[in-house]
Amino acid sequence: MDRPTIDHRGPEFAALAKECLEDIKAVFQTEHPVLIFPSSGTGAWEAALVNTLNPGDRVLAFETGQFAILWAKLAENLGLKVDMVPGDWRHGIDPAAAAAKLSADSGHEIKAVLAVHNETSTGITSDIEDLRAAMDNTDHPALLLVDAVSSLATAAYRHQKWGVDVTVSGSQKGLMLPPGLGFNAVGPKALEAAKTSTFPKGYWRWDDMLAFNEKGFFPYTPATNLLYALKESLAMLREEGLYWNVVDRHARLAEATRRAVLGWGLEIWAANPGEYSNSTTAVLLPEGVNEAAFRTLVLDKFNLSLGAGLGKVAGKVFRIGHLGDFNDLMLAGTLAGVEMGLELAGVPHRKGGICAALDYLTETRKQ
Ligand code: PLP
């Protein structure tokens, strides 16, 4: 990234952009276009909604955690009517609840289903393939819009095979980049819906972006230096072995983390092992422990930034991130910092969670 910024209307840039736009498709597992906005993930959320829907449309969402709530709020701010399926934040999306809602909607008023694949706030991954199957069984025409901000390049994800209409993501997680790129992977049904969408929009217009992208350009100034970085990130993922080696590395580091948590005698927040996240583990602290004080201590003593509990779980859980450019020794350092922090903060726990994680990392290296 740390190179001079080139003219984004010149041939060198066009070659870079075309390469990125083509190669990013493998990460989403799609042959259809992926749009890249100079934005955060929130911008890409908005782009997905304003290009496919009309003001006043009903959308179905699921309260899996803080990011599901934030996406729903954004939809409401845009004038959409959100039908939120309540949740306890410890489980992923229930496909049966989606099917029930869609079956009851005989007038097809629900125009889209919003699903967060990996809830970064709770460390819970929902099964998008099952959700799609449940939607298909109802023969309901709603679009499926999926947030893969923290699952892209960390968990198995198949935009095209799973029949996702728009996948939203960002640069700052599995792609190992700084924040600043927002993605929309779009399918044919979403592109069709975009032709009649009446939302007022300018910056987020897919049609303008796609027309410019054809020639390797953007309708406005792109995040040129982040595209240098994206090119390298895509090369790194390919070298490691996109797809499964990258996903397996995350799965293995996540399992080691969970073994540490159980070794400490603490509780993994996610209730269903089938929904454990490859990228984040939320840990429930014992009643009466000051979560913020614990994290502050770990930051002060070890310069290790743990994730705060967000929204409803603020003060209850802390989160260990294990995604992106991350390996065995980085995880070992992280878990050592947590274990020392638990002791120093006087959090009731058993010693040796780190040993359980190291044993697992060692054993799985032998295989
Ligand atoms: N969705 C998920 C699952 C996230 O984890 C985040 C951010 O962490 C977002 C959306 C919002 O992305 P951003 O903060 O880049 O706007």
Side-chain angles (χ1 to χ4, degrees):
M1 272 178 299
D2 187 16
R3 287 160 45 197
T5 306
I6 52 171
D7 171 18
H8 59 267
R9 307 279 181 209
E12 194 184 340
F13 179 84
L16 167 74
K18 279 188 177 168
E19 187 178 334
C20 287
L21 289 164
E22 191 50 40
D23 292 353
I24 188 74
K25 292 178 182 173
V27 184
F28 287 90
Q29 295 280 288
T30 182
E31 292 158 348
H32 298 298
V34 178
L35 293 91
I36 307 177
F37 292 100
S39 80
S40 76
T42 302
W45 269 346
E46 179 156 336
L49 300 174
V50 297
N51 279 284
T52 55
L53 301 171
N54 301 310
D57 279 353
R58 269 181 73 196
V59 299
L60 182 63
F62 308 88
E63 193 200 347
T64 49
Q66 181 68 358
F67 290 101
I69 286 183
L70 290 177
W71 197 8
K73 267 195 191 143
L74 185 142
E76 274 168 1
N77 287 340
L78 289 168
L80 294 163
K81 296 192 190 91
V82 180
D83 195 344
M84 177 71 99
V85 177
D88 67 359
W89 289 45
R90 298 194 81 162
H91 294 84
I93 295 167
D94 176 8
K101 285 279 186 188
L102 294 177
S103 301
D105 178 37
S106 51
H108 294 170
E109 279 177 35
I110 297 172
K111 300 299 181 198
V113 173
L114 314 188
V116 176
H117 184 211
N118 182 70
E119 249 303 347
T120 326
S121 61
T122 56
I124 291 170
T125 304
S126 291
D127 191 326
I128 300 300
E129 205 175 4
D130 277 2
L131 174 63
R132 176 80 254 179
M135 289 174 67
D136 289 347
N137 286 340
T138 65
D139 275 332
H140 194 290
L143 295 169
L144 175 58
L145 313 185
V146 177
D147 171 328
V149 170
S150 58
S151 55
L152 193 74
T154 77
Y157 191 81
R158 297 178 177 281
H159 172 90
Q160 194 167 337
K161 186 165 176 234
W162 293 349
V164 179
D165 295 299
V166 185
T167 302
V168 172
S169 198
S171 50
Q172 72 271 28
K173 296 202 164 66
L175 291 174
M176 309 172 280
L177 304 178
L181 298 178
F183 302 94
N184 278 177
V186 296
K189 217 170 124 187
L191 286 171
E192 207 45 46
K195 288 184 188 156
T196 53
S197 158
T198 57
F199 258 116
K201 54 190 164 286
Y203 189 78
W204 304 116
R205 288 194 77 92
W206 283 353
D207 51 1
D208 283 354
M209 184 64 99
L210 287 169
F212 273 83
N213 284 176
E214 281 279 303
K215 298 186 170 60
F217 297 114
F218 285 73
Y220 36 71
T221 306
T224 306
N225 293 55
L226 283 173
L227 294 175
Y228 296 154
L230 177 62
K231 178 178 159 175
E232 181 57 25
S233 142
L234 295 171
M236 286 168 70
L237 292 171
R238 273 196 308 272
E239 279 161 23
E240 181 176 354
L242 190 65
Y243 211 77
W244 296 108
N245 290 354
V246 173
V247 171
D248 287 352
R249 170 169 54 87
H250 282 87
R252 184 172 159 271
L253 295 173
E255 175 60 24
T257 305
R258 292 189 293 268
R259 290 188 182 214
V261 174
L262 298 176
W264 293 320
L266 300 179
E267 198 177 327
I268 296 164
W269 175 254
N272 174 5
E275 295 174 333
Y276 284 156
S277 165
N278 274 4
S279 55
T280 336
T281 299
V283 183
L284 181 62
L285 282 166
E287 199 71 38
V289 170
N290 184 330
E291 179 257 345
F294 165 66
R295 280 186 303 99
T296 304
L297 180 144
V298 171
L299 182 62
D300 286 351
K301 299 280 184 213
F302 306 114
N303 196 23
L304 170 65
S305 225
L306 294 168
L310 300 175
K312 264 191 195 171
V313 292
K316 279 187 171 179
V317 307
F318 73 93
R319 294 171 302 142
I320 303 172
H322 32 77
L323 78 167
D325 183 17
F326 203 61
N327 60 34
D328 292 17
L329 295 188
M330 291 153 103
L331 180 65
T334 303
L335 297 175
V338 175
E339 183 159 329
M340 290 189 283
L342 290 169
E343 177 68 21
L344 291 172
V347 178
H349 71 290
R350 284 197 306 265
K351 280 197 204 313
I354 177 108
C355 296
L358 296 184
D359 283 349
Y360 176 76
L361 291 175
T362 312
E363 278 310 309
T364 45
R365 280 280 165 187
K366 286 184 192 160
Q367 286 154 20

